[in-house]
Amino acid sequence: MHCIFACVYIYIGVNINCNANISFNMIWFYCTCALLFILKTSSAVDTLLPNQTLKDGDTIVSANEFFELGFFSRYRNVRYLGIWFKKVDKGTVVWVANRDIPLAGFMGMLKFTDKGTLQLFSGNNTLIWSSQPSKTIANINPIAQLLDTGNFVIRDNVTGDLIWQSFDHPGNTWLPGMKIGVDLVTGIQRNLTSWKSRGDPSPGSYTVSMDINGFPQLYIADMKDKSRWHRRVGSANGVGFTGMRGQGQSGFYEFETVYKTREEIYINFTSLINSSFSRMMLNYQGNFRQFVWNSSKWEEYITPFQDECEIYGVCGVYGSCNINNSPVCTCLEGFEPKVPKEWSANDWSNGCKHEIPMNNETGYNFSKFSNLKLPDSRDTWFNSTMSLGECENVCTGNVSCTAYANTDIRDGGSGCIMWFSELVDIRDAPQGDDSGQDIYIKMANPTFGKCICDCFVM
């Protein structure tokens, strides 16, 4: 600051007294000093430099002021280091560093080391949390920066190599550009974990994770009972998730499954409108939904069905759940209960079977079922470049294939997913809702036997 005043003073002095005995070099020194100060002040808003600290009460803000990083509290006299929306709703936190160990009091401090590590200290200088680099880089020139995406990154300021990013360590919020899935190289599992309560960011009871045994799909698990899935979100189909309410109105967001062999498998969603703010959140009650900012408030955009039909596999194999029916479970057309006595007692666990048994002699055809939540995709094969016709041909030629569908429903549909086991966890979209998809299920040819008989009629 002294540099600026000195520069101004010298400039005025030179103009008032042209004979002032002031060298050009002195003027150059002070003015350069002032310019460097201004540049440093303006460029440091969204960054931390090596050995720089951030104290409680200070913040850094992304370039366009979309997000802010600093210390915050929620209903208790403890502090957390986190990131929240700044431009639209300052109260919405999207990431928390020290979820497991909150800070007591207002003396916390974040330090950025010259090794490229973030370290969070308490008031008595106890290390509370630190970032763990995804890879080791020698002779680095690290810089930490809060991006307009909400991602807090550490990178080499010379090479641009990424050292660490908050997007690799999600909390309860999924932002556009963030990946949910598995990094097969580093072993990083990018899962969502709910808060413990509305005001407690510590890890809660629910997680959203990716299953990669077949076509990748997301599921919600209750940490209290890890032996089963609490709810299956399903696979991404380009505009949302199969069976989640609201995807039919989409057009502003894209959901894409990316499968890089031996590298990573993930789902991400992208905003097609730069001015749009969105987030997907897993709340402390285990509900997973997308919110979009609408001028003054967050509105639900894609939401789960919260009813009996969301219980995983409630109607058994080849059974479909329709919340508008009573009872809610029925066999798909062309199927019948495996154990009719149990079915009439509303025990649907054993599911359904083909009315006409499948065998090689009868031949096959496919029945189209529309507006359904696609079945569990754990025992599937997929190809993102095949057409639906090619998919049918491959499924027809494989005796083990039980059904097929498109992996992506945008622009008339593309890609191929084939099932190789009995189909489970199917539901009908409610009346007036078009959130389901088409699926083609292999059936025995009902006319084959009749044809043979007709040929021998005298």
Side-chain angles (χ1 to χ4, degrees), residues 321-370:
C321 192
N322 189 324
I323 200 61
N324 295 323
N325 293 341
S326 182
V328 294
C329 287
T330 56
C331 291
L332 293 171
E333 186 178 350
F335 295 82
E336 61 186 7
K338 285 184 178 180
V339 186
K341 185 177 180 179
E342 293 178 355
W343 198 268
S344 61
N346 290 343
D347 178 1
W348 310 298
S349 56
N350 281 308
C352 307
K353 63 179 181 179
H354 288 84
E355 290 178 353
I356 302 176
M358 300 279 288
N359 61 70
N360 293 334
E361 295 180 357
T362 61
Y364 310 114
N365 62 13
F366 291 94
S367 291
K368 179 181 178 180
F369 295 84
S370 298

Side-chain angles (χ1 to χ4, degrees), residues 260-279:
K260 297 181 180 179
T261 307
R262 295 187 295 275
E263 291 184 23
E264 58 181 347
I265 306 169
Y266 62 88
I267 297 174
N268 67 358
F269 81 98
T270 306
S271 173
L272 302 180
I273 303 175
N274 292 332
S275 60
S276 175
F277 293 94
S278 177
R279 60 191 172 96

Side-chain angles (χ1 to χ4, degrees), residues 38 145 154-155 170 181 259 295 317 399 403 428:
I38 294 170
Q145 184 176 23
I154 303 173
R155 56 182 171 79
Y259 193 102
S295 69
V317 298
V399 68
D428 289 274

Side-chain angles (χ1 to χ4, degrees), residues 65 110 117 228 254 256 309:
E65 299 188 350
L110 178 67
T117 301
R228 64 183 183 89
E254 290 185 338
E256 186 176 12
C309 291

Side-chain angles (χ1 to χ4, degrees), residues 138-396:
N139 301 318
I140 60 173
N141 298 278
I143 187 172
Q145 184 176 23
L146 179 62
L147 305 181
D148 277 329
T149 59
N151 193 10
F152 191 32
V153 302
I154 303 173
R155 56 182 171 79
D156 190 305
N157 202 29
V158 176
T159 65
D161 288 343
L162 184 67
I163 301 170
W164 178 91
Q165 61 177 344
S166 61
F167 271 18
D168 279 339
H169 309 275
N172 70 336
T173 301
W174 187 9
L175 295 173
M178 183 185 290
K179 303 173 182 178
I180 298 297
V182 182
D183 189 316
L184 302 176
V185 177
T186 64
I188 292 176
Q189 300 271 346
R190 302 185 183 99
N191 306 326
L192 298 181
T193 305
S194 66
W195 285 20
K196 194 169 185 178
S197 68
R198 189 186 302 273
D200 186 352
S202 60
S205 299
Y206 299 96
T207 61
V208 170
S209 305
M210 174 181 280
D211 183 271
I212 59 175
N213 296 302
F215 188 54
Q217 60 182 340
L218 300 184
Y219 66 93
I220 300 174
D222 187 342
M223 302 301 289
K224 299 174 184 176
D225 185 6
K226 298 181 181 180
S227 63
R228 64 183 183 89
W229 289 1
H230 174 68
R231 184 180 298 152
R232 187 174 66 91
V233 178
S235 52
N237 57 19
V239 298
F241 291 90
T242 174
M244 283 191 76
R245 181 180 280 134
Q247 68 169 10
Q249 64 175 304
S250 226
F252 304 121
Y253 300 92
E254 290 185 338
F255 292 77
E256 186 176 12
T257 301
V258 179
Y259 193 102
K260 297 181 180 179
T261 307
R262 295 187 295 275
E263 291 184 23
E264 58 181 347
I265 306 169
Y266 62 88
I267 297 174
N268 67 358
F269 81 98
T270 306
S271 173
L272 302 180
I273 303 175
N274 292 332
S275 60
S276 175
F277 293 94
S278 177
R279 60 191 172 96
M280 295 195 74
M281 188 185 76
L282 175 67
N283 71 11
Y284 68 97
Q285 297 173 316
N287 296 320
F288 182 51
R289 61 196 68 197
Q290 182 187 14
F291 294 90
V292 174
W293 183 258
N294 184 10
S295 69
S296 62
K297 63 180 180 178
W298 292 106
E299 292 187 350
E300 292 186 358
Y301 195 71
I302 295 179
T303 63
F305 296 102
Q306 295 177 282
D307 51 42
E308 186 178 359
C309 291
E310 279 303 282
I311 300 173
Y312 176 79
V314 63
C315 296
V317 298
Y318 294 117
S320 183
C321 192
N322 189 324
I323 200 61
N324 295 323
N325 293 341
S326 182
V328 294
C329 287
T330 56
C331 291
L332 293 171
E333 186 178 350
F335 295 82
E336 61 186 7
K338 285 184 178 180
V339 186
K341 185 177 180 179
E342 293 178 355
W343 198 268
S344 61
N346 290 343
D347 178 1
W348 310 298
S349 56
N350 281 308
C352 307
K353 63 179 181 179
H354 288 84
E355 290 178 353
I356 302 176
M358 300 279 288
N359 61 70
N360 293 334
E361 295 180 357
T362 61
Y364 310 114
N365 62 13
F366 291 94
S367 291
K368 179 181 178 180
F369 295 84
S370 298
N371 211 16
L372 297 183
K373 176 181 180 179
L374 294 186
D376 186 346
S377 62
R378 275 182 284 189
D379 191 11
T380 61
W381 178 90
F382 64 97
N383 183 303
S384 60
T385 62
M386 288 175 61
S387 68
L388 196 63
E390 292 171 328
C391 196
E392 179 182 357
N393 291 336
V394 175
C395 188
T396 301

